[in-house]
Amino acid sequence: MIRGDGDTRPVVALTGATGTIGRLVAHGLAAGGDADGDGAAVDVRLLVRDPGKARRAGLPGRAVRADFGQVDALTAALEGADSLFVVTADPARPDHDENVLAAARTAGVRRVVKLSALAVLDPGAQDVLTRWQRDNEERLRASGLAWTLLRPRAFMSNALGWAASVREEGVVRGLYGSGRNACVDPRDVADAAVRALLDPAAGGRSYALTGPEPLSAREQTEALGAVLGRPLTFVELTEEQALERWRARWPEPMAQALLEGARRQRDGAKEAVADGVREATGHAPRGFADWARAHTEVFQGPSHGPASGVE
């Protein structure tokens, strides 16, 4: 897995390459350093369980089979990589982060950029997702590897989960519609990841990534309707209705974690705006209307699946 003779391009390995942020990072690296095409050419390596899925998704770079549960395979996949973007997704498997860091050390990776969550800074956040992310951050800091932590608020792309009801009914349904969240555009998170993966100066830094203003689900619904050119209605869910939806997709501890997060948002814990996007990327954070304009076809055209996000 070592790069070919004479190839001096930095080798950047990505986990989570088929996810919301990972695919944007892959394209940003392939563009030469960021979404604007600045910077040096990069050899992109995608660590995926199914290389065929990565190819079918049109992701740039070389897809390499790897699994978080297999340290030897991870080590082989990381051989020759200069930096690594880490996204893990299962709080029930803390060994995933342990394994990928052990493989990175053995393979000689120089720095790791980890996707975490801004909730880790909130002492009132004690749900299973936040405790898991805190533990992951501590593992990375103790790993001996150069590290950068990206801590985003909820992704604006979570609104993709409204697409079907917006198209079919002109309705958005959600819990605690007046609670505000300084949600962030996934493109800004990906830009921050690309810069951190290529710039050694980002080592040892943590970035709080938010959008330019806190918005409630009601306000997002209004903004989305303005972009689409038609009024949308927000319908408030009860806690039990929201839990029923979450339980259909995730195990009970995850559903309860989402409920706890919604309650903290209701109580104002997620309103603060940070300057991390500008610090990490050099540009201002994009607003929700900008995100919505880039995704109008999802709310008007064929069905798209909802995207997952962190808080």
Side-chain angles (χ1 to χ4, degrees):
M1 304 300 296
I2 299 176
R3 72 194 85 177
D5 292 341
D7 188 348
T8 60
R9 295 179 299 164
V11 179
V12 180
L14 311 180
T15 70
T18 59
T20 301
I21 302 301
R23 66 179 59 222
L24 294 172
V25 174
H27 283 289
L29 289 167
D34 59 23
D36 298 320
D38 297 330
V42 180
D43 182 354
V44 181
R45 188 180 300 172
L46 314 174
L47 276 59
V48 292
R49 285 180 295 178
D50 181 0
K53 180 179 179 181
R55 289 190 290 268
R56 290 191 296 273
L59 295 177
R62 179 158 47 108
V64 180
R65 191 181 304 278
D67 189 290
F68 286 134
Q70 300 172 355
V71 178
D72 290 345
L74 281 169
T75 302
L78 287 170
E79 184 181 356
D82 299 294
S83 56
L84 168 66
F85 182 56
V86 175
V87 182
T88 51
D90 190 349
R93 295 295 303 271
D95 59 306
H96 285 178
D97 277 83
E98 294 169 0
N99 290 346
V100 75
L101 293 177
R105 284 194 300 268
T106 302
V109 173
R110 290 200 286 270
R111 59 183 175 272
V112 174
V113 177
K114 170 67 178 174
L115 184 66
S116 182
L118 192 48
V120 299
L121 300 181
D122 182 357
Q126 296 299 327
D127 59 87
V128 65
L129 286 169
T130 305
R131 294 197 307 271
W132 167 69
Q133 288 288 24
R134 288 194 186 106
D135 290 344
N136 288 339
E137 288 194 3
E138 182 54 36
R139 288 187 185 94
L140 178 54
R141 285 191 292 262
S143 69
L145 297 161
W147 54 266
T148 304
L149 293 169
L150 304 181
R151 294 167 170 163
R153 232 0 136 193
F155 299 155
M156 292 176 182
S157 56
N158 287 350
L160 293 174
W162 305 336
S165 63
V166 166
R167 288 195 308 270
E168 297 164 11
E169 307 170 69
V171 168
V172 169
R173 295 180 176 85
L175 178 62
Y176 299 133
S178 298
R180 289 190 170 94
N181 190 309
C183 55
V184 62
D185 191 320
R187 293 174 295 183
D188 290 335
V189 180
D191 286 350
V194 169
R195 294 289 183 92
L197 287 162
L198 297 177
D199 183 3
R205 299 195 62 179
S206 303
Y207 296 100
L209 306 176
T210 74
E213 61 180 337
L215 293 172
S216 68
R218 293 183 186 278
E219 290 166 333
Q220 286 180 308
T221 300
E222 182 178 354
L224 180 59
V227 169
L228 297 175
R230 59 190 176 98
L232 302 176
T233 301
F234 182 84
V235 175
E236 185 96 22
L237 297 177
T238 66
E239 285 193 352
E240 190 53 43
Q241 287 172 326
L243 275 173
E244 182 179 357
R245 290 178 168 216
W246 292 330
R247 285 166 174 156
R249 296 186 60 191
W250 293 293
E252 184 66 18
M254 293 277 282
Q256 291 296 331
L258 292 171
L259 177 58
E260 290 178 43
R263 288 170 173 169
R264 287 191 298 107
Q265 179 168 316
R266 173 199 62 190
D267 295 338
K270 303 181 182 183
E271 292 185 352
V273 171
D275 202 32
V277 168
R278 190 183 299 276
E279 293 170 355
T281 69
H283 66 69
R286 299 169 173 94
F288 182 77
D290 294 328
W291 177 87
R293 280 189 288 270
H295 295 83
T296 54
E297 76 286 351
V298 180
F299 298 94
Q300 295 174 331
S303 178
H304 286 63
S308 62
V310 294
E311 300 184 356

